[in-house]
Amino acid sequence: MNVLVVNCGSSSIKAAVLDDASGVVQARLRVERLGSDDAVWRIGDGENVSCDPTHESALAAALPALISGCDEIEAVGHRVVHGGTKFTTPTRITDEVAAEIEALSELAPLHNPANAAGIRAARKLLPDILHIAVFDTAFHATLPRRAWTYGIDNELATKHGVRRYGFHGTSHQYVANRAAEFMGTDLRDLRIITCHLGNGCSVCAVEYGRSVETSMGMTPLEGLVMGTRSGDIDVGAVLHMARAEEWTLDDIDNFLNRSSGLSGLSGVGNDLRDIEARAADGDEGCRLAIQVFAHRVRKYIGAYTAAMGGVDAIVFTAGIGENSALMRHRVASRLDFLGARFCEDTNSDAKVSADSPVFEISERGARCRLLVVATDEQHAIARTAGRIAHEDDRVRNPRTIPVAVSARHMHVTRETLDLLYGEGHELTPDRPLSQPGQYAAAERVKIIGPRNEIDRVRILGPIRSKNQIEISRTDEFALGVDAPVRASGDVTNSPGVIVEGPAGRVELKEGLICAWRHIHMTPDDAEHFGVRDRDVVEVAVTGTGRDLIFGDVLVRVSPKYKLEMHIDTDEGNAAELSRGAEGALVETEGVARLQSRKVRYD
Ligand code: AMP
């Protein structure tokens, strides 16, 4: 699905058109210097075009240029910084939602007005398309109360919405998922500390898939030392300076948000590349900036390990986390006490990109893995917007899955057919099957098990590269063999059996399986249902003698397939299945992904 992602900052805008699944970008827009007389926009690496200084007028001019050469846009994802306590999940934007996002400007005066302006401009340009707000705060909605509460008067805190919300949630969630995929473990079985170290910096404790602690607070000022923000500081120190320097509230805001952090400490700006270069040349301020920055991150890692009672992976992401080997060295070496054994060599080689987003920098076999992961908030927003648009499509245009009973049958190789039916025998198509190109052949064979025989088992064409006999549990007992439940094509280490045809017998070494109940679908169906090849889903089947839910249904996706669910005769009988039975996916959120299970297909 083609998604437009709009990310409005206070003085700049990033927007792009990309595919929600692959993340492949068709076109990018950058608007800079908003609020000044020399505001400009450009598409990709194109020429700068001058524009009016407001978000709305800049977008009104630039968005048509961005989308003009692109495939049709099917959804728009908006990054919204603050969702307050109201928006804890990605939300379809209606007039009311847009107004509420604007009203949250009180909590995020720098960000939400810009986000709201972007929403207004994009909805005006694309009024008939679904717009979805993806909130930076949403992932942290699971923080326990003890983590989000400040130690201040409760009544006053409630009155003014003063609590910890946390930010960078889209990035923390994205990289935690990537890390879990890399580790081949379900995110729900892992305790991960994600360190988003960019211009803004935050750490998050992701306990079994949920954010339980994060370093930013009511605003993105709390926590780590950042490019220009101080992070944690004793408010008493701020009061002291404000009194001594006779600062206004705006002066305090400027001091803490814009002239502190790496910039304030180093005195040479907020770019760590310059700071590292000067530190290497002996600049004391730059050395101190690096030391304070790294120390603060280490401190948070220790604290979050304690908060979760352990840690399975520590992730470094964003500009500094992905690129600064020096900073990762300072943060992650000597963490052996918590099971993380830092590898100096891989750390210096670490390189991540969209094509290769994860790089491990811990020693082999370490209990806690150290990973560098490329973040991609734009892709994460596109994926979320795409998922919601697909859900919308499912509700508006529900697609039902025809259910068919697959009777016992055999697939044969050329060699086996020669032995069963004579050299060079060709299968005789009897009737086509629902899956394109497949047919039931007129040829039938006898399956001979240790206990009993089953006669007249159909051969299905065309010829395959492996022999395979698919039977039901009842057949298995009749034959006296123990057949594993497998995906079609996955016959390694399955039991063998004797097969007899008119021209002779074959003793197969392997090939007897009970077929794993499955759904064939095209990539378009998979996109509609929000599933991927090898997902395992639940299907509610109706139009039968009994309405049933079938769990453990394997999804198989190929452009060659036609949408249909296959169950075996036992299951068909149990469901009292009649012609015209249909299934619907029960749940796609909790789909179990079988990345680590090796399932082979024809
Ligand atoms: P972000 O906000 O994620 O785009 O991060 C931007 C920051 O990452 C920059 O301001 C730099 O401080 C830092 N950065 C980017 N590349 C490098 C690098 N190669 N070495 C050190 N720091 C880097």
Side-chain angles (χ1 to χ4, degrees):
M1 178 179 287
N2 222 19
V3 179
L4 166 66
V5 174
V6 181
N7 177 357
C8 290
S10 53
S11 65
S12 67
I13 302 173
K14 286 186 215 153
V17 177
L18 62 158
D19 180 71
D20 67 328
S22 66
V24 171
V25 174
Q26 283 194 13
R28 286 179 201 281
L29 163 71
R30 186 105 177 107
V31 187
E32 277 160 356
R33 301 196 284 277
L34 286 167
S36 79
D37 290 340
D38 39 65
V40 287
W41 61 267
R42 64 175 176 277
I43 306 291
D45 297 325
E47 294 285 301
N48 280 344
V49 180
S50 298
C51 60
D52 286 345
T54 67
H55 289 77
E56 266 174 296
S57 48
L59 279 176
L63 275 184
L66 172 68
I67 64 175
S68 67
C70 298
D71 297 338
E72 192 190 342
I73 309 282
E74 294 175 75
V76 185
H78 292 268
R79 178 185 181 209
V80 178
V81 167
H82 220 304
T85 48
K86 169 96 189 173
F87 297 110
T88 56
T89 53
T91 305
R92 290 170 181 75
I93 301 176
T94 57
D95 290 345
E96 294 74 45
V97 169
E100 285 180 279
I101 288 171
E102 185 122 44
L104 283 166
S105 297
E106 253 180 45
L107 292 177
L110 280 182
H111 298 101
N112 274 42
N115 302 152
I119 289 170
R120 272 196 303 275
R123 285 182 84 209
K124 214 175 269 173
L125 181 72
L126 299 163
D128 301 323
I129 292 176
L130 195 63
H131 290 249
I132 292 127
V134 180
F135 299 91
D136 264 30
T137 45
F139 182 52
H140 305 300
T142 48
L143 248 58
R145 192 171 59 164
R146 61 178 175 272
W148 59 251
T149 306
Y150 286 117
I152 58 172
D153 180 279
N154 221 341
E155 218 169 283
L156 210 58
T158 309
K159 181 174 167 197
H160 296 290
V162 174
R163 49 159 286 176
R164 307 184 64 248
Y165 294 95
F167 298 86
H168 290 146
T170 309
S171 175
H172 287 297
Q173 186 173 24
Y174 181 82
V175 296
N177 269 301
R178 281 278 148 115
E181 271 169 30
F182 178 83
M183 292 166 77
T185 309
D186 197 310
L187 183 63
R188 289 168 295 189
D189 293 327
L190 291 170
R191 291 159 302 178
I192 303 182
I193 296 176
T194 48
C195 307
H196 179 110
L197 310 177
N199 220 345
C201 304
S202 67
V203 195
C204 181
V206 186
E207 188 178 49
Y208 308 130
R210 293 152 59 89
S211 168
V212 294
E213 245 302 2
T214 192
S215 57
M216 283 177 166
M218 173 169 161
T219 76
L221 177 58
E222 191 180 335
L224 299 181
V225 172
M226 309 181 210
T228 61
R229 287 172 238 163
S230 65
D232 297 336
I233 183 168
D234 180 351
V235 181
V238 180
L239 294 176
H240 169 73
M241 282 187 289
R243 280 190 202 107
E245 298 284 328
E246 298 182 2
W247 281 346
T248 63
L249 290 179
D250 280 349
D251 293 334
I252 297 174
D253 187 359
N254 263 322
F255 175 72
L256 295 176
N257 276 307
R258 280 171 278 277
S259 36
S260 297
L262 289 175
S263 177
L265 281 163
S266 69
V268 301
N270 62 348
D271 195 318
L272 185 65
R273 283 164 288 204
D274 300 336
I275 297 171
E276 285 184 1
R278 284 167 191 257
D281 290 341
D283 184 306
E284 252 323 301
C286 290
R287 286 184 174 174
L288 182 64
I290 292 170
Q291 287 165 350
V292 175
F293 184 100
H295 173 76
R296 185 80 56 90
V297 183
R298 276 180 79 83
K299 202 165 82 168
Y300 268 94
I301 288 173
Y304 286 6
T305 304
M308 293 192 287
V311 59
D312 303 305
I314 299 169
V315 171
F316 294 91
T317 193
I320 294 173
E322 290 170 34
N323 297 303
S324 174
L326 174 101
M327 199 56 89
R328 290 194 304 261
H329 163 91
R330 285 185 166 270
V331 172
S333 49
R334 296 183 300 107
L335 291 180
D336 303 49
F337 69 95
L338 48 80
R341 287 187 279 123
F342 180 73
C343 177
E344 206 63 73
D345 291 341
T346 48
N347 181 52
S348 11
D349 292 344
K351 195 139 200 61
V352 288
S353 64
D355 295 334
S356 175
V358 185
F359 201 104
E360 178 154 13
I361 55 168
S362 41
E363 298 279 2
R364 263 176 170 273
R367 197 183 47 69
C368 170
R369 318 272 291 266
L370 297 167
L371 303 172
V372 182
V373 180
T375 192
D376 190 345
E377 287 163 285
Q378 188 168 268
H379 185 198
I381 293 170
R383 282 219 296 223
T384 304
R387 178 172 56 78
I388 292 178
H390 286 304
E391 275 168 20
D392 224 57
D393 182 43
R394 271 199 292 281
V395 173
R396 281 175 215 272
N397 312 299
R399 231 177 254 192
T400 48
I401 305 166
V403 181
V405 174
S406 180
R408 66 175 80 98
H409 61 267
M410 177 172 190
H411 299 281
V412 287
T413 62
R414 180 67 260 170
E415 194 190 358
T416 304
L417 186 62
D418 284 348
L419 293 168
L420 294 171
Y421 267 83
E423 192 80 18
H425 181 87
E426 291 298 337
L427 289 175
T428 323
D430 187 13
R431 61 183 166 80
L433 297 174
S434 58
Q435 294 309 311
Q438 302 210 10
Y439 58 86
E443 285 74 8
R444 292 170 186 260
V445 290
K446 184 189 282 183
I447 311 290
I448 304 166
R451 191 160 159 233
N452 225 324
E453 308 175 347
I454 302 178
D455 211 359
R456 298 181 58 72
V457 174
R458 276 251 196 213
I459 296 182
L460 302 189
I463 277 174
R464 286 199 182 179
S465 59
K466 281 188 216 156
N467 294 303
Q468 178 176 310
I469 303 167
E470 291 175 42
I471 57 171
S472 68
R473 281 267 173 254
T474 307
D475 293 343
E476 186 193 42
F477 280 101
L479 290 170
V481 285
D482 199 4
V485 174
R486 291 279 180 84
S488 180
D490 183 12
V491 293
T492 312
N493 287 326
S494 60
V497 72
I498 296 167
V499 185
E500 188 180 276
R505 279 186 170 199
V506 186
E507 194 170 339
L508 298 181
K509 293 270 170 295
E510 61 181 18
L512 195 68
I513 60 168
C514 286
W516 189 348
R517 65 181 80 112
H518 55 275
I519 310 174
H520 292 280
M521 61 174 77
T522 64
D524 179 63
D525 294 321
E527 188 167 68
H528 171 84
F529 291 118
V531 295
R532 294 188 300 202
D533 193 36
R534 292 192 287 168
D535 280 351
V536 177
V537 296
E538 289 184 357
V539 180
V541 175
T542 52
T544 70
R546 309 158 56 191
D547 289 351
L548 281 181
I549 290 183
F550 286 97
D552 195 29
V553 184
L554 180 68
V555 171
R556 299 186 52 191
V557 182
S558 162
K560 291 185 295 188
Y561 291 152
K562 182 167 164 259
L563 183 62
E564 194 170 66
M565 173 167 156
H566 288 178
I567 58 178
D568 72 20
T569 35
D570 285 352
E571 294 165 337
N573 291 339
E576 297 166 25
L577 203 78
S578 49
R579 273 194 172 279
E582 287 182 331
L585 284 203
V586 172
E587 195 205 342
T588 52
E589 273 289 64
V591 161
R593 307 224 182 259
L594 296 185
Q595 309 287 30
S596 54
R597 251 208 244 176
K598 287 203 182 78
V599 182
R600 283 176 296 276
Y601 305 107
D602 274 1

mmCIF file of all heavy atoms in Angstrom, residues 212-235:
data_model
loop_
_atom_site.group_PDB
_atom_site.id
_atom_site.type_symbol
_atom_site.label_atom_id
_atom_site.label_comp_id
_atom_site.label_asym_id
_atom_site.label_seq_id
_atom_site.Cartn_x
_atom_site.Cartn_y
_atom_site.Cartn_z
ATOM 1 N N VAL A 212 7.890 -0.022 29.954
ATOM 2 C CA VAL A 212 7.616 0.089 31.387
ATOM 3 C C VAL A 212 8.404 1.219 32.048
ATOM 4 O O VAL A 212 8.165 1.552 33.207
ATOM 5 C CB VAL A 212 7.872 -1.245 32.140
ATOM 6 C CG1 VAL A 212 6.886 -2.305 31.706
ATOM 7 C CG2 VAL A 212 9.315 -1.714 31.961
ATOM 8 N N GLU A 213 9.374 1.777 31.353
ATOM 9 C CA GLU A 213 10.111 2.937 31.854
ATOM 10 C C GLU A 213 10.713 3.644 30.657
ATOM 11 O O GLU A 213 11.089 3.007 29.672
ATOM 12 C CB GLU A 213 11.248 2.524 32.810
ATOM 13 C CG GLU A 213 11.084 2.981 34.241
ATOM 14 C CD GLU A 213 10.960 4.483 34.452
ATOM 15 O OE1 GLU A 213 10.955 5.262 33.486
ATOM 16 O OE2 GLU A 213 10.872 4.892 35.627
ATOM 17 N N THR A 214 10.793 4.956 30.737
ATOM 18 C CA THR A 214 11.463 5.702 29.680
ATOM 19 C C THR A 214 11.988 6.998 30.260
ATOM 20 O O THR A 214 11.462 7.491 31.272
ATOM 21 C CB THR A 214 10.520 5.918 28.477
ATOM 22 O OG1 THR A 214 11.302 6.397 27.380
ATOM 23 C CG2 THR A 214 9.388 6.880 28.778
ATOM 24 N N SER A 215 13.043 7.529 29.629
ATOM 25 C CA SER A 215 13.768 8.595 30.317
ATOM 26 C C SER A 215 13.186 9.993 30.089
ATOM 27 O O SER A 215 13.418 10.882 30.889
ATOM 28 C CB SER A 215 15.243 8.567 29.906
ATOM 29 O OG SER A 215 15.354 8.680 28.509
ATOM 30 N N MET A 216 12.426 10.197 28.996
ATOM 31 C CA MET A 216 11.814 11.515 28.822
ATOM 32 C C MET A 216 10.542 11.587 29.668
ATOM 33 O O MET A 216 9.938 10.556 29.977
ATOM 34 C CB MET A 216 11.485 11.773 27.354
ATOM 35 C CG MET A 216 12.724 12.134 26.544
ATOM 36 S SD MET A 216 12.331 12.349 24.794
ATOM 37 C CE MET A 216 13.831 13.143 24.225
ATOM 38 N N GLY A 217 10.136 12.781 30.023
ATOM 39 C CA GLY A 217 9.051 12.894 31.003
ATOM 40 C C GLY A 217 7.811 13.551 30.450
ATOM 41 O O GLY A 217 7.264 13.127 29.440
ATOM 42 N N MET A 218 7.373 14.599 31.141
ATOM 43 C CA MET A 218 6.208 15.328 30.660
ATOM 44 C C MET A 218 6.530 16.009 29.325
ATOM 45 O O MET A 218 5.679 16.137 28.457
ATOM 46 C CB MET A 218 5.800 16.389 31.673
ATOM 47 C CG MET A 218 4.697 17.255 31.116
ATOM 48 S SD MET A 218 3.976 18.302 32.337
ATOM 49 C CE MET A 218 3.190 19.503 31.274
ATOM 50 N N THR A 219 7.781 16.441 29.179
ATOM 51 C CA THR A 219 8.253 17.016 27.916
ATOM 52 C C THR A 219 9.530 16.260 27.521
ATOM 53 O O THR A 219 10.090 15.519 28.327
ATOM 54 C CB THR A 219 8.577 18.524 28.072
ATOM 55 O OG1 THR A 219 9.824 18.627 28.763
ATOM 56 C CG2 THR A 219 7.497 19.262 28.836
ATOM 57 N N PRO A 220 10.008 16.483 26.307
ATOM 58 C CA PRO A 220 11.222 15.765 25.879
ATOM 59 C C PRO A 220 12.509 16.329 26.487
ATOM 60 O O PRO A 220 13.584 16.146 25.943
ATOM 61 C CB PRO A 220 11.220 15.945 24.354
ATOM 62 C CG PRO A 220 9.867 16.430 23.994
ATOM 63 C CD PRO A 220 9.367 17.180 25.180
ATOM 64 N N LEU A 221 12.415 16.989 27.626
ATOM 65 C CA LEU A 221 13.597 17.597 28.235
ATOM 66 C C LEU A 221 14.267 16.691 29.266
ATOM 67 O O LEU A 221 15.474 16.748 29.478
ATOM 68 C CB LEU A 221 13.191 18.933 28.891
ATOM 69 C CG LEU A 221 14.250 19.722 29.641
ATOM 70 C CD1 LEU A 221 15.432 20.053 28.734
ATOM 71 C CD2 LEU A 221 13.654 21.035 30.171
ATOM 72 N N GLU A 222 13.467 15.812 29.875
ATOM 73 C CA GLU A 222 14.003 14.996 30.975
ATOM 74 C C GLU A 222 14.898 13.863 30.454
ATOM 75 O O GLU A 222 14.773 13.422 29.326
ATOM 76 C CB GLU A 222 12.805 14.390 31.738
ATOM 77 C CG GLU A 222 13.176 13.729 33.058
ATOM 78 C CD GLU A 222 11.930 13.158 33.768
ATOM 79 O OE1 GLU A 222 10.817 13.652 33.512
ATOM 80 O OE2 GLU A 222 12.101 12.209 34.553
ATOM 81 N N GLY A 223 15.795 13.410 31.318
ATOM 82 C CA GLY A 223 16.528 12.177 31.030
ATOM 83 C C GLY A 223 17.953 12.394 30.591
ATOM 84 O O GLY A 223 18.755 13.014 31.291
ATOM 85 N N LEU A 224 18.282 11.851 29.418
ATOM 86 C CA LEU A 224 19.661 11.856 28.931
ATOM 87 C C LEU A 224 20.132 13.256 28.557
ATOM 88 O O LEU A 224 19.327 14.146 28.277
ATOM 89 C CB LEU A 224 19.759 10.971 27.687
ATOM 90 C CG LEU A 224 19.398 9.500 27.871
ATOM 91 C CD1 LEU A 224 19.558 8.750 26.556
ATOM 92 C CD2 LEU A 224 20.264 8.856 28.952
ATOM 93 N N VAL A 225 21.434 13.403 28.498
ATOM 94 C CA VAL A 225 22.024 14.606 27.909
ATOM 95 C C VAL A 225 21.776 14.497 26.406
ATOM 96 O O VAL A 225 21.964 13.428 25.824
ATOM 97 C CB VAL A 225 23.547 14.638 28.189
ATOM 98 C CG1 VAL A 225 24.209 15.769 27.419
ATOM 99 C CG2 VAL A 225 23.800 14.753 29.681
ATOM 100 N N MET A 226 21.330 15.579 25.764
ATOM 101 C CA MET A 226 21.003 15.494 24.331
ATOM 102 C C MET A 226 21.833 16.503 23.541
ATOM 103 O O MET A 226 22.754 17.096 24.087
ATOM 104 C CB MET A 226 19.512 15.748 24.138
ATOM 105 C CG MET A 226 18.693 14.864 25.046
ATOM 106 S SD MET A 226 16.943 15.058 24.872
ATOM 107 C CE MET A 226 16.448 14.643 26.548
ATOM 108 N N GLY A 227 21.469 16.701 22.269
ATOM 109 C CA GLY A 227 22.217 17.640 21.436
ATOM 110 C C GLY A 227 22.271 19.014 22.073
ATOM 111 O O GLY A 227 23.350 19.566 22.314
ATOM 112 N N THR A 228 21.077 19.565 22.366
ATOM 113 C CA THR A 228 21.036 20.906 22.975
ATOM 114 C C THR A 228 20.233 20.948 24.269
ATOM 115 O O THR A 228 20.055 22.007 24.849
ATOM 116 C CB THR A 228 20.390 21.917 21.995
ATOM 117 O OG1 THR A 228 19.058 21.492 21.734
ATOM 118 C CG2 THR A 228 21.160 22.034 20.694
ATOM 119 N N ARG A 229 19.689 19.784 24.699
ATOM 120 C CA ARG A 229 18.886 19.749 25.929
ATOM 121 C C ARG A 229 19.705 19.151 27.078
ATOM 122 O O ARG A 229 20.459 18.198 26.862
ATOM 123 C CB ARG A 229 17.624 18.902 25.725
ATOM 124 C CG ARG A 229 16.599 19.586 24.862
ATOM 125 C CD ARG A 229 15.454 18.652 24.509
ATOM 126 N NE ARG A 229 15.333 18.518 23.071
ATOM 127 C CZ ARG A 229 14.673 17.553 22.448
ATOM 128 N NH1 ARG A 229 14.064 16.622 23.149
ATOM 129 N NH2 ARG A 229 14.622 17.499 21.135
ATOM 130 N N SER A 230 19.447 19.675 28.261
ATOM 131 C CA SER A 230 20.261 19.275 29.417
ATOM 132 C C SER A 230 19.960 17.867 29.894
ATOM 133 O O SER A 230 20.811 17.198 30.454
ATOM 134 C CB SER A 230 19.992 20.234 30.582
ATOM 135 O OG SER A 230 18.629 20.080 31.000
ATOM 136 N N GLY A 231 18.714 17.392 29.700
ATOM 137 C CA GLY A 231 18.303 16.166 30.382
ATOM 138 C C GLY A 231 18.165 16.450 31.867
ATOM 139 O O GLY A 231 17.977 17.619 32.280
ATOM 140 N N ASP A 232 18.263 15.391 32.693
ATOM 141 C CA ASP A 232 18.043 15.535 34.142
ATOM 142 C C ASP A 232 18.914 16.643 34.733
ATOM 143 O O ASP A 232 20.108 16.714 34.486
ATOM 144 C CB ASP A 232 18.415 14.226 34.861
ATOM 145 C CG ASP A 232 17.530 13.086 34.433
ATOM 146 O OD1 ASP A 232 16.398 13.346 33.972
ATOM 147 O OD2 ASP A 232 17.981 11.929 34.538
ATOM 148 N N ILE A 233 18.283 17.491 35.541
ATOM 149 C CA ILE A 233 19.034 18.531 36.262
ATOM 150 C C ILE A 233 18.256 18.859 37.523
ATOM 151 O O ILE A 233 17.012 18.792 37.522
ATOM 152 C CB ILE A 233 19.246 19.784 35.375
ATOM 153 C CG1 ILE A 233 20.089 20.823 36.118
ATOM 154 C CG2 ILE A 233 17.934 20.400 34.914
ATOM 155 C CD1 ILE A 233 20.584 21.959 35.240
ATOM 156 N N ASP A 234 18.944 19.164 38.575
ATOM 157 C CA ASP A 234 18.297 19.562 39.824
ATOM 158 C C ASP A 234 17.558 20.891 39.576
ATOM 159 O O ASP A 234 18.189 21.890 39.184
ATOM 160 C CB ASP A 234 19.395 19.727 40.887
ATOM 161 C CG ASP A 234 18.830 20.133 42.230
ATOM 162 O OD1 ASP A 234 17.622 20.454 42.303
ATOM 163 O OD2 ASP A 234 19.612 20.135 43.199
ATOM 164 N N VAL A 235 16.252 20.915 39.770
ATOM 165 C CA VAL A 235 15.487 22.139 39.537
ATOM 166 C C VAL A 235 15.995 23.249 40.458
ATOM 167 O O VAL A 235 15.947 24.439 40.118
ATOM 168 C CB VAL A 235 13.972 21.897 39.726
ATOM 169 C CG1 VAL A 235 13.176 23.166 39.469
ATOM 170 C CG2 VAL A 235 13.508 20.801 38.791
#
